[in-house]
Amino acid sequence: MDTTGDRQLLAVIGEALEGSARRAGSRLACRRGCTECCIGPFPINVLDARRLREGLKELSRRDADRAARVIERARLNVEAMTPDFPGDAERGLFVADEAAEEAFCARWAAEPCPALDPETGACDLYDWRPLSCRTYGPPVRIGGEDLPPCRLCFVGASAAEVEACRVEIDPGGMEDEILTHMEAEGAPRPQTAVAFALARDWGTPPSEA
């Protein structure tokens, strides 16, 4: 996997979020141990999935036991979720059915992410987390859509204070350019979930597995 484009994307998004965090100050509740956005599955794209798998490989080199625990949690999640997965359960790819996808995520809304360490409340793959995880918390604008902040953030703040901290994520469309390039190289375009990305090799070409 050529990670140059992804590193540039993460740098752009990171800089934007840092600016928002500075403006938000103490109104932003996000910190280690807060797991508000770590519970329940959600769709991720192939770029997120490959980044997670790269992180899992790196974690295996640094701390094999911790990586093994992540893999086991992912395996158990996949085993439980497979019977009613809306799509190709073998590969963990969602079908193009938003209603079915939302129903599936709602059904498993209480299930912790397999990357979450239940003892420390920290993400074992934090440096490689999906964009949804990175952008959850502050008020953001993605693809022209304004999304509200996390319910734990900006408590008591006025609408004007919230808007003053809103940040546009990836205004240049870098992520979509990367995904289009990956699709041209044979990567699947459908989305998956974190557990399936960590328990399956579908997002990694055979030469990189």
Side-chain angles (χ1 to χ4, degrees), residues 33-202:
C34 178
T35 61
E36 179 73 10
C37 61
C38 305
I39 309 298
F42 55 91
I44 63 172
N45 59 43
V46 65
L47 181 59
D48 290 323
R50 287 197 182 182
R51 188 187 309 116
L52 280 168
R53 292 200 61 81
E54 288 297 316
L56 188 58
K57 289 179 185 177
E58 181 61 27
L59 182 61
S60 295
R61 289 191 285 268
R62 296 179 185 176
D63 190 334
D65 288 342
R66 205 165 97 190
R69 291 194 292 272
V70 172
I71 293 171
E72 178 62 10
R73 292 195 295 266
R75 186 191 68 78
L76 291 174
N77 276 9
V78 166
E79 184 178 295
M81 294 175 178
T82 289
D84 57 2
F85 186 82
D88 183 347
E90 181 63 28
R91 303 176 72 202
L93 299 177
F94 286 116
V95 294
D97 185 335
E98 187 173 346
E101 189 178 289
E102 289 180 354
F104 170 81
C105 291
R107 192 175 302 121
W108 295 97
E111 190 70 23
C113 175
L116 179 67
D117 185 327
E119 295 182 3
T120 66
C123 176
D124 282 333
L125 298 172
Y126 185 82
D127 290 339
W128 301 275
R129 66 199 187 281
L131 259 60
S132 293
C133 305
R134 295 169 188 270
T135 58
Y136 190 82
V140 298
R141 180 174 297 116
I142 302 178
E145 181 181 3
D146 286 351
L147 301 179
C150 166
R151 67 183 182 87
L152 301 181
C153 300
F154 294 89
V155 176
S158 67
E161 289 175 314
V162 172
E163 287 307 310
C165 298
R166 187 172 298 282
V167 59
E168 185 167 6
I169 300 299
D170 189 19
M174 290 179 63
E175 183 187 34
D176 196 57
E177 289 182 9
I178 296 170
L179 289 170
T180 299
H181 178 71
M182 293 174 72
E183 185 177 22
E185 292 186 335
R189 189 71 174 202
Q191 296 184 312
T192 185
V194 173
F196 286 86
L198 294 174
R200 300 279 195 265
D201 283 331
W202 67 266

Side-chain angles (χ1 to χ4, degrees), residues 17-30:
L17 291 172
E18 286 175 9
S20 176
R22 285 194 297 270
R23 294 193 297 276
S26 61
R27 292 189 291 263
L28 198 60
C30 307

Side-chain angles (χ1 to χ4, degrees), residues 1-22:
M1 172 183 175
D2 180 4
T3 59
T4 302
D6 191 39
R7 287 198 301 269
Q8 293 174 343
L9 171 65
L10 297 183
V12 168
I13 292 175
E15 184 176 355
L17 291 172
E18 286 175 9
S20 176
R22 285 194 297 270

